[in-house]
Amino acid sequence: MTAYNRGRGVWPTLSVAQRIEHLQDFAYRMQEQRDEVVNILMWEIGKSYADSQKEFDLA
């Protein structure tokens, strides 16, 4: 909640371009973790390997 801080925190005071940059960085870092996330989906939810890959790649 401190990132928002009722509209006065870091996130709401960033420019749109800065927010986009942060989201792109997050997406890039998530892609680096693809194999780990796919394995977690398989083991925690009981999905097949192919279904887990599809779910991660849905975006």
Side-chain angles (χ1 to χ4, degrees), residues 4-52:
Y4 185 72
N5 192 21
R6 298 182 181 179
R8 291 173 281 163
V10 175
W11 185 255
T13 57
L14 291 175
S15 69
V16 172
Q18 289 171 313
R19 290 184 197 183
I20 290 169
E21 187 177 318
H22 282 285
L23 289 173
Q24 287 174 331
D25 180 54
F26 173 77
Y28 175 77
R29 287 186 287 139
M30 281 300 296
Q31 189 62 39
E32 290 179 337
Q33 301 298 316
R34 181 183 185 272
D35 291 339
E36 185 174 347
V37 173
V38 166
N39 282 330
I40 290 170
L41 288 170
M42 282 183 0
W43 292 107
E44 294 293 327
I45 301 173
K47 288 185 174 259
S48 69
Y49 182 70
D51 285 345
S52 296

